[in-house]
C-alpha cells in the first residue's frame, strides 16, 4: 500500500506557495476568501477560523495558514501547518520542516488556476503543452516550464529527500 500524497488547503496570504505546490503536482485548494470575509463580518473571526479548519478536516487536507489563532484551535493539531514567513523561499523551508515535500512529484500536471489535472494536447507540434479540461486553456509552453523547472530543481535539491 502506498501512502497517499498530502493534499492542501491554502490561505490567501500563502497564495504563491500554493501555486508552486500545484506546479509541483500537489492537489492544492485555496480558501474561499469572500466567504471567510462574510463570516468574519457577520459572526466574528472565530467562526471564519472554525469554517477553515472544518473544511480542511472534511477534505483530508493540511491547512496552510499564516494565522496563529487557527493553529491554536482545538483539533488543529495534525491538520494546521502554520507558515509565518513573508518570503517564498522561507515559506518553502518552513513547510519542509513539517512534511517532506517532493518538488519533483509530478511537475506541470495540474492547472495552476483551478487545480484540475491536465490533459496532454494531441497536437504533435505543441508537445510541451497541456490542456485544462476545466478552464479550456493551454498551459506550459516550453520557455515557461524551463524557468519554472529550475526553481523546482533548486528546492528539490535543498529540501526534498
Ligand atoms: Zn483549469
Amino acid at each position: 500500500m502506498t501512502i497517499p500524497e498530502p493534499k492542501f488547503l491554502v490561505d490567501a496570504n500563502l497564495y504563491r506557495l500554493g501555486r508552486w505546490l500545484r506546479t509541483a503536482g500537489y492537489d492544492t485548494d485555496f480558501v474561499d476568501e469572500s466567504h471567510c470575509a462574510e463570516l468574519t463580518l457577520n459572526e466574528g473571526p472565530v467562526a471564519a477560523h472554525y469554517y477553515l479548519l472544518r473544511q480542511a478536516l472534511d477534505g483530508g487536507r493540511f491547512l496552510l495558514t499564516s494565522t496563529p489563532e487557527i493553529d491554536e484551535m482545538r483539533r488543529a493539531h495534525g491538520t494546521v501547518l502554520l507558515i509565518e514567513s513573508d518570503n517564498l523561499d522561507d515559506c518553502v523551508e518552513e513547510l519542509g520542516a513539517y512534511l517532506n515535500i517532493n518538488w519533483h512529484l509530478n511537475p506541470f500536471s495540474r492547472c495552476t488556476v483551478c487545480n484540475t489535472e491536465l490533459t496532454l494536447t494531441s497536437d504533435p507540434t505543441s508537445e510541451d503543452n497541456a490542456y485544462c479540461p476545466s478552464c479550456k486553456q493551454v498551459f506550459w509552453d516550453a520557455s515557461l516550464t524551463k524557468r519554472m523547472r529550475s526553481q523546482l530543481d533548486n528546492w528539490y535539491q535543498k529540501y526534498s529527500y
Side-chain angles (χ1 to χ4, degrees):
M1 196 180 116
T2 54
I3 300 165
E5 293 301 336
K7 298 189 289 182
F8 300 99
L9 177 66
V10 178
D11 91 15
N13 294 332
L14 300 168
Y15 183 74
R16 289 181 70 208
L17 179 64
R19 287 286 288 255
W20 277 105
L21 284 166
R22 272 187 188 166
T23 303
Y26 283 97
D27 183 339
T28 306
D29 274 348
F30 286 99
V31 160
D32 182 345
E33 286 299 316
S34 61
H35 185 64
C36 283
E38 212 173 289
L39 277 175
T40 304
L41 194 67
N42 296 329
E43 298 173 43
V46 174
H49 296 163
Y50 185 77
Y51 160 75
L52 291 182
L53 181 57
R54 184 78 262 160
Q55 217 191 352
L57 287 167
D58 289 350
R61 292 174 184 274
F62 288 105
L63 176 60
L64 305 187
T65 182
S66 55
T67 306
E69 289 80 4
I70 299 178
D71 188 43
E72 286 156 15
M73 293 179 84
R74 211 161 54 86
R75 301 198 60 193
H77 184 73
T79 293
V80 175
L81 307 181
L82 184 66
I83 309 273
E84 295 184 289
S85 309
D86 293 328
N87 172 286
L88 180 61
D89 277 303
D90 293 342
C91 287
V92 167
E93 189 173 352
E94 275 192 75
L95 178 58
Y98 293 113
L99 295 172
N100 177 29
I101 300 298
N102 178 2
W103 290 101
H104 281 174
L105 178 68
N106 195 2
F108 313 111
S109 62
R110 284 180 188 275
C111 176
T112 57
V113 177
C114 74
N115 197 40
T116 302
E117 289 188 81
L118 299 173
T119 311
L120 287 175
T121 53
S122 53
D123 180 353
T125 62
S126 62
E127 59 185 0
D128 294 310
N129 288 339
Y131 173 77
C132 175
S134 175
C135 296
K136 316 287 184 215
Q137 290 187 69
V138 171
F139 281 89
W140 310 125
D141 69 86
S143 65
L144 182 63
T145 50
K146 197 169 170 231
R147 283 200 310 276
M148 295 183 85
R149 192 175 289 278
S150 76
Q151 174 64 280
L152 293 174
D153 287 347
N154 177 20
W155 288 335
Y156 181 80
Q157 278 155 24
K158 270 165 100 173
Y159 304 116
S160 300
Y161 53 86

